[in-house]
Amino acid sequence: MEIDAEMRRKIVVSIVSVGAFFAVFVGIGVTFGPDLGNDGGLALVGAVALFIVVMALAGVFLDE
């Protein structure tokens, strides 16, 4: 089974986006520790919102 160039590009963009999201979550966990508190919780919500925006932009980019 061959994967064409467009599908390969979609896979790479998806993997990089999810990897970056995971790295941000780990970074927030390391920064705020096991007890996130108010600031850590806000950072997690911001990371999820940023992930949604990045994935939407990636979808627009891949659609072109």
Side-chain angles (χ1 to χ4, degrees):
M1 181 172 113
E2 287 190 33
I3 299 175
D4 61 341
E6 183 179 344
M7 182 58 72
R8 210 173 305 128
R9 183 173 53 135
K10 289 178 181 181
I11 291 169
V12 168
V13 169
S14 298
I15 289 173
V16 168
S17 298
V18 171
F21 179 63
F22 182 72
V24 167
F25 261 36
V26 169
I28 290 171
V30 168
T31 301
F32 293 101
D35 182 27
L36 292 175
N38 291 335
D39 292 336
L42 189 59
L44 284 177
V45 170
V48 170
L50 180 65
F51 178 71
I52 292 170
V53 170
V54 167
M55 289 308 289
L57 293 175
V60 170
F61 170 73
L62 291 174
D63 191 41
E64 292 180 352

